[in-house]
């Protein structure tokens, strides 16, 4: 069984640029969510995708956007990067809506540094 | 909305000593509770979870946590730690519905010394 994989693992951008982070969900999982983990803090929920539609969003501005594809992989896009966007971005997947374990399966993250 | 408070940001402990990581949560609805562990330069891994039933839950590597509804707590314990337990530990909560948005605490860094 393949776990959640994310790319790239590390990247450096400058203020004002745009970034795209990618995630392949675990086999059999059709729900993907994204979290931002700033240094020294716990992960913060950005949004969740189910069957290619956003079905939950945290307190992040619209310049954070995403996509989910028919194979359930996902992208996180951040426009107009700010210094405070520097963080570890975690993707997590889980089985479909009817599965009632509450457990998320996390990738190892993409570490974004904004200079 | 749900929230989590982890009462200790850093816990240094000697090898083979016991450790307790404290977690309190706030929620107006029934919740599921989790402890996740993050080793250096890695993502989060589920350590254990409380969904229902027995209030004491255990992991395969010797950790246990007890759900206390009256005190809204879910403290994590291990009677004897190893060097390999050095990591950051996050308590998380989600409401019992299908959205499964996790709310995390700020984390507790456990450093085990020989």
């Amino acid at each position: 069984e393949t776990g959640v994989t994310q790319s790239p693992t590390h990247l450096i951008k400058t203020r004002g640029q745009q970034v795209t982070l990618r995630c392949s969900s675990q086999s059999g999982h059709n729900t993907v969510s994204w979290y931002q983990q700033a240094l020294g803090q716990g992960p913060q929920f950005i949004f969740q995708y189910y069957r290619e539609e956003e079905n939950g969003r945290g307190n992040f501005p619209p310049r954070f956007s995403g996509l989910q594809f028919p194979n359930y992989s996902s992208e996180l896009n951040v426009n107009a990067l700010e210094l405070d966007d520097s963080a570890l971005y975690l993707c997590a997947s889980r089985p479909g809506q009817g599965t009632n374990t509450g457990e998320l399966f996390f990738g190892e993250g993409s570490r974004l540094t904004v200079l | 909305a749900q929230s989590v408070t982890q009462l200790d940001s850093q816990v240094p402990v000697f090898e083979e000593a016991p450790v307790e990581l404290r977690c309190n949560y706030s929620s107006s609805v029934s919740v599921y509770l989790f402890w996740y562990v993050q080793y250096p330069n890695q993502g989060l891994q589920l350590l254990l979870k409380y969904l229902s039933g027995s209030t004491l839950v255990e992991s395969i590597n010797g950790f246990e946590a007890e759900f206390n509804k009256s005190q809204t707590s879910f403290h994590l314990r291990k009677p004897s730690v190893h060097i390999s337990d050095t990591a950051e530990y996050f308590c998380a909560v989600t409401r019992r519905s299908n959205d499964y948005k996790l709310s995390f605490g700020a984390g507790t860094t456990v450093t085990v010394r020989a």
Side-chain angles (χ1 to χ4, degrees):
Chain A
E1 184 177 79
T2 305
V4 178
T5 57
Q6 294 187 240
S7 63
T9 55
H10 296 81
L11 71 167
I12 299 173
K13 294 284 188 178
T14 57
R15 276 186 303 174
Q17 286 189 311
Q18 178 265 344
V19 69
T20 297
L21 307 178
R22 295 177 175 81
C23 171
S24 293
S25 61
Q26 183 162 320
S27 177
H29 291 186
N30 60 13
T31 303
V32 172
S33 51
W34 286 90
Y35 288 77
Q36 181 196 65
Q37 185 180 11
L39 196 62
Q41 298 181 26
Q44 299 291 319
F45 175 73
I46 303 175
F47 43 54
Q48 176 174 278
Y49 279 82
Y50 170 64
R51 292 187 176 177
E52 303 177 55
E53 293 200 2
E54 184 182 298
N55 72 342
R57 189 177 183 93
N59 189 26
F60 281 80
R63 60 190 185 83
F64 285 78
S65 64
L67 286 172
Q68 186 181 32
F69 300 99
N71 65 354
Y72 306 132
S73 66
S74 177
E75 286 183 355
L76 164 64
N77 299 289
V78 187
N79 294 321
L81 284 167
E82 301 176 0
L83 296 180
D84 286 349
D85 296 334
S86 294
L88 181 67
Y89 288 85
L90 295 164
C91 174
S93 72
R94 65 178 178 88
Q97 299 279 74
T99 306
N100 208 17
T101 69
E103 177 182 356
L104 294 181
F105 295 80
F106 285 86
E108 296 196 348
S110 294
R111 186 166 297 282
L112 171 66
T113 301
V114 182
L115 302 176
Chain B
Q2 294 73 47
S3 66
V4 174
T5 302
Q6 291 184 242
L7 299 167
D8 310 289
S9 60
Q10 306 223 11
V11 174
V13 58
F14 286 105
E15 194 173 20
E16 299 183 5
V19 70
E20 179 180 73
L21 310 184
R22 296 177 293 169
C23 170
N24 286 97
Y25 70 94
S26 173
S27 177
S28 58
V29 299
S30 295
V31 296
Y32 294 147
L33 291 156
F34 305 85
W35 277 98
Y36 280 84
V37 59
Q38 186 174 36
Y39 297 103
N41 301 312
Q42 294 188 25
L44 278 73
Q45 303 173 30
L46 180 69
L47 189 60
L48 45 73
K49 60 185 176 184
Y50 172 76
L51 303 181
S52 64
S54 172
T55 57
L56 183 66
V57 290
E58 299 176 351
S59 73
I60 59 173
N61 56 354
F63 284 93
E64 64 179 31
E66 186 158 20
F67 168 57
N68 188 319
K69 188 175 182 180
S70 62
Q71 297 186 6
T72 60
S73 68
F74 191 54
H75 301 332
L76 180 70
R77 303 181 184 93
K78 188 170 185 180
S80 176
V81 296
H82 302 292
I83 297 290
S84 60
D85 292 323
T86 295
E88 189 153 22
Y89 293 80
F90 293 96
C91 183
V93 63
T94 186
R95 64 182 184 178
R96 293 189 179 200
S97 64
N98 276 334
D99 60 12
Y100 297 131
K101 164 195 161 185
L102 285 177
S103 296
F104 286 87
T108 299
T109 301
V110 173
T111 304
V112 181
R113 303 168 181 166

